[in-house]
Amino acid sequence: MDTQYYMNLEDQFGAHNYKPLDVVLNRGEGIWVWDVDGNKYLDFLSAYSAVNQGHCHPKIMQAMIEQARKLTLTSRAFRNDQLGLLYKELCELTHSHKVLPMNSGAEAVETVIKAARKWGYKIKGVPENQAEIIVCENNFHGRTIAIIGFSTDEHYKDGFGPFAPGFRVIPFGDIKALEDAITPNTVGFMAEPIQGEAGVIIPPSGYLREARAVCDKQNVVLILDEIQTGLGRTGKLLAEEHDGIEADVTLIGKALSGGFYPISAVLSNTDVLGVFMPGDHGSTFGGNPLACAVARAAIKVLVEEKMIENAVEMGAYFMSRLKKIISPHIREIRGKGLMIGVELVPEAGGARRFCEKLKAGGLLCKETHDNVIRFAPPLIIAKEDIDWALEKIEPVLAG
Ligand SMILES: *Cc1c(COP(=O)(O)O)cnc(C)c1O
């Protein structure tokens, strides 16, 4: 059975809510993936940074298999022996006080919206149903109705209204706009440290530090969505560390399982997650022992195998080489660690055609919006693999 056969199956029986590159993968190992025709590719997307640890990491796999043999799901009606250990390990690693586990990133975002609102009513004293949360233009926080309601991407929203009230949108990276937007009813400010889906948009340096100060002064919960930037991607465990701050609430997901299993987490200080009482929130699969065992192994290998340090080193090397490419198509190259975006000029004809060409050369990348190519390989990538990739990238970008 070849690529066309599987593509036809997907197109005939599946909803068409994605426009994938025409490659059908059936195996992955480390930074490499293989398609059903036996072609090998370097994965330069890492499932939107969910596979920071590389595909099918043997130690995470082992943890998954061992746990799957023992116990997979209890629901939270009962306790399990993996949950508390994951809590403790996550709190120690990220200096958090409390953890609330969910499954997808969007669920973690929904959870923090509930928590911040309840904190606003019960602790800050905001009048009932008046809570406001400030978010940023060009944000990406997921695809549920509440979340797309405060997206500024019309395509994400078109046809899906009506949306939930209680959100205010300000420009990303503009601290004055944040100060001006805060009212007595503001309960939270939520942002991505670097906007990934918007095209690897990096705010002015010190932005998060200033946002931290504003939120402190105004008694507003600072929420950082690190679902994509977290867990080593930008060369720190959490991207907030670049600014030397700690958010009140940090959201992680994606690489929390190294790509084995959907698991996300809300990490917070005691104040915010402390508002949840039994019955306030839940999820059948959230915090299940299989997810917890997988996540424990995924964060362990991230730290023990020095993947974060490698992201710093390889990111700097890759950036320096990319910046040497002379090309009429490139407008800007930007990034931190191994989260790198190459923005093309509008005349380049869109990033998609470059991704198609890179695929033909054995490199899997994905365009974000029309004009940005994102490079985000697994954090285990070695220098010789980057050199190999550059041999393919240079002629495609220069040509
Ligand atoms: C991917 C992502 C989400 C949503 O995660 P899902 O698991 O797809 O629901 C939220 N925020 C950011 C920054 C993301 O990159």
Side-chain angles (χ1 to χ4, degrees), residues 104-107 109 140-142 192 197 225 227-228 254:
S104 67
E107 284 177 311
V109 174
F140 183 83
H141 297 290
E192 302 151 80
E197 297 313 297
D225 178 347
I227 292 166
Q228 189 162 150
K254 292 201 165 103

Side-chain angles (χ1 to χ4, degrees), residues 10 49-50 78 97 99 106 108 172 185 194 209 219 262 271 307 322 349 389 399:
E10 284 190 21
S49 296
F78 313 117
H97 305 165
V99 182
F172 180 58
N185 293 339
I194 294 173
R209 204 172 341 110
N219 196 21
D271 278 4
M307 295 180 192
L322 280 175

Side-chain angles (χ1 to χ4, degrees), residues 14-261:
H16 293 185
N17 57 327
Y18 276 94
K19 187 174 172 239
L21 289 183
D22 290 339
V23 57
V24 180
L25 303 173
N26 66 358
R27 189 157 77 85
E29 191 184 319
I31 61 170
W32 302 100
V33 287
W34 285 262
D35 73 10
V36 291
D37 299 324
N39 300 305
K40 180 181 176 183
Y41 304 89
L42 205 169
D43 182 356
F44 247 92
L45 181 68
S46 310
Y48 299 96
S49 296
V51 197
N52 286 357
Q53 296 89 335
H55 289 275
C56 299
H57 190 291
K59 287 188 177 158
I60 310 175
M61 192 197 309
Q62 193 57 35
M64 182 157 186
I65 291 168
E66 276 173 22
Q67 188 60 43
R69 287 207 176 101
K70 287 199 281 197
L71 182 68
T72 57
L73 183 64
T74 59
S75 84
R76 297 288 302 280
F78 313 117
R79 297 179 190 255
N80 74 73
D81 69 348
Q82 294 298 307
L83 185 58
L85 291 169
L86 175 65
Y87 285 173
K88 179 167 179 287
E89 287 159 12
L90 271 178
C91 284
E92 285 171 357
L93 194 65
T94 63
H95 311 125
S96 305
H97 305 165
K98 291 210 169 287
V99 182
L100 195 158
M102 295 295 286
N103 310 286
S104 67
E107 284 177 311
V109 174
E110 291 276 347
T111 302
V112 78
I113 293 169
K114 286 174 72 174
R117 284 180 171 179
K118 190 162 183 197
W119 172 87
Y121 301 129
K122 305 293 172 187
I123 311 278
K124 183 169 176 172
V126 171
E128 196 64 27
N129 290 326
Q130 301 295 309
E132 284 177 356
I133 293 176
I134 299 171
V135 297
C136 294
E137 280 172 9
N138 300 315
N139 67 71
F140 183 83
H141 297 290
R143 298 291 201 158
T144 63
I145 289 288
I147 295 170
I148 60 169
F150 55 81
S151 169
T152 56
D153 186 324
E154 283 311 315
H155 182 188
Y156 291 169
K157 310 171 74 153
D158 183 31
F160 301 127
F163 301 114
F167 300 95
R168 187 183 280 237
V169 185
I170 61 169
F172 180 58
D174 182 343
I175 209 71
K176 175 80 171 36
L178 175 61
E179 284 170 325
D180 291 348
I182 291 175
T183 73
N185 293 339
T186 304
V187 297
F189 169 56
M190 177 164 66
E192 302 151 80
I194 294 173
Q195 291 186 325
E197 297 313 297
V200 190
I201 309 295
I202 303 174
S205 100
Y207 176 60
L208 294 184
R209 204 172 341 110
E210 290 172 55
R212 174 71 279 177
V214 170
C215 288
D216 281 340
K217 186 159 155 244
Q218 305 279 5
N219 196 21
V220 166
V221 175
L222 175 62
I223 304 159
L224 291 181
D225 178 347
E226 296 236 25
I227 292 166
Q228 189 162 150
T229 55
L231 302 174
R233 174 54 56 189
T234 71
K236 299 274 188 194
L237 179 75
L238 297 173
E240 66 178 25
E241 294 168 36
H242 291 290
D243 275 51
I245 60 144
E246 287 183 10
D248 298 303
V249 185
T250 303
L251 309 178
I252 55 174
K254 292 201 165 103
L256 183 51
S257 74
F260 279 84
Y261 202 87

Side-chain angles (χ1 to χ4, degrees), residues 327-331 343-348 353-354 396-399:
S327 158
H329 307 304
I330 298 175
R331 170 181 271 175
E343 183 172 345
L344 306 173
V345 295
E347 304 78 49
R353 72 182 185 94
F354 291 87
V396 169
L397 282 178

